[in-house]
Amino acid sequence: MGNQFSLAHLTALACPPPKLTYIAARAGYDFVSIRPISMMLKNEPDYNLAKNKSMLRDTKTALHQTGLQVLDIELAKIEDGMEAKQYEPAFEVGAELGARHVLCSVWTDDDVFANERFIELCELAKCYQLTIELEFVPVASVATLTQAIRMLHAAAQDNAGLLIDAHHFHRAQENVSDINSVPASWFHMFHLCDAVKEIPSAKEQMIKIMREERLYIGEGGIPIKEILQQMPTIPYSLEIPHLQRAKELGFEEYSRRCLVSAKKYISLFQDDINIS
């Protein structure tokens, strides 16, 4: 079986889940990745499908008509004061839509609290046949690969996984060889994107690029080939938000070009990356 690709919601966040699903299908994706848990950021749309039953029905219809599957939902943030149960409505929706994974990141410096809540999230997700994918983010509290590995070992949950995002991996200045220290069973999906090689020194600029100016695969300076050489064959979720390009091209054409760039890049190094 060849590689499979998902359209990450952040790539076209202005599109509600039903529209995103139709766009992903027409553009040629295998999956769609949905954000029914808002990060509560300024101007970010809220697609709370657990409360918006009409949108949930429309999303189910879109999935049925297109034949696409939901790869993952996001984002279960671990932050001060949160409770694992607050995410249960989203987990239930994810299971209802056939999702496989839930993305998680850590935004508290209280390690004990974070570890306890992560275990609780895994236990709750297990009830819905979901995995919890820990994503390290260079502007968050769990900011490096080492921190994420340590947390996963401490949790020791059989439905926990590690999500590497190419942007975050590069910005955290990780070594590609360190991926070898990760158990292969932890890898369930990968966030594929590119970005300028120069790492911003200002947090605000890093966040801007992360959310608004990622690049087509092979266009930037992230060592994507070298990263993929260390990874098993897993679905690639294309998280490539670029607001200006999406505005100029429209979300469907932009999403299609993201996929074209990924497939073209991978085809150039297929033997090296060892993709089946």
Side-chain angles (χ1 to χ4, degrees), residues 165-233:
D165 180 298
H167 171 276
H168 303 337
F169 187 91
H170 181 254
R171 272 24 182 180
Q173 302 183 57
E174 303 289 352
N175 294 315
V176 172
S177 60
D178 289 341
I179 297 175
N180 291 322
S181 65
V182 180
S185 61
W186 286 3
F187 289 121
H188 304 126
M189 56 178 290
F190 176 78
H191 268 172
L192 183 57
C193 65
D194 211 338
V196 294
K197 185 175 183 178
E198 183 179 6
I199 300 174
S201 57
K203 178 180 177 180
E204 294 75 15
Q205 182 61 18
M206 186 181 293
I207 292 174
K208 186 175 189 296
I209 292 173
M210 179 173 71
R211 293 184 60 85
E212 302 179 12
E213 295 179 356
R214 299 197 200 190
L215 301 176
Y216 296 129
I217 311 305
E219 183 184 12
I222 296 177
I224 296 172
K225 172 188 171 183
E226 290 74 14
I227 294 172
L228 295 183
Q229 282 179 315
Q230 308 302 318
M231 305 283 291
T233 300

Side-chain angles (χ1 to χ4, degrees), residues 140-176:
S141 297
V142 172
T144 68
L145 178 62
T146 297
Q147 288 176 299
I149 291 174
R150 185 186 305 126
M151 189 170 183
L152 287 167
H153 276 305
Q157 297 294 303
D158 59 13
N159 67 327
L162 174 70
L163 174 64
I164 290 181
D165 180 298
H167 171 276
H168 303 337
F169 187 91
H170 181 254
R171 272 24 182 180
Q173 302 183 57
E174 303 289 352
N175 294 315
V176 172

Side-chain angles (χ1 to χ4, degrees), residues 20-57:
L20 185 77
T21 301
Y22 288 118
I23 284 175
R26 290 193 294 264
Y29 288 82
D30 306 286
F31 299 97
V32 65
S33 297
I34 295 174
R35 183 177 285 205
I37 307 171
S38 173
M39 290 186 68
M40 307 303 292
L41 299 174
K42 184 179 179 181
N43 299 323
E44 178 176 309
D46 185 0
Y47 301 127
N48 188 337
L49 298 180
K51 290 184 176 179
N52 193 333
K53 299 301 183 181
S54 175
M55 186 178 289
L56 176 58
R57 286 194 298 271

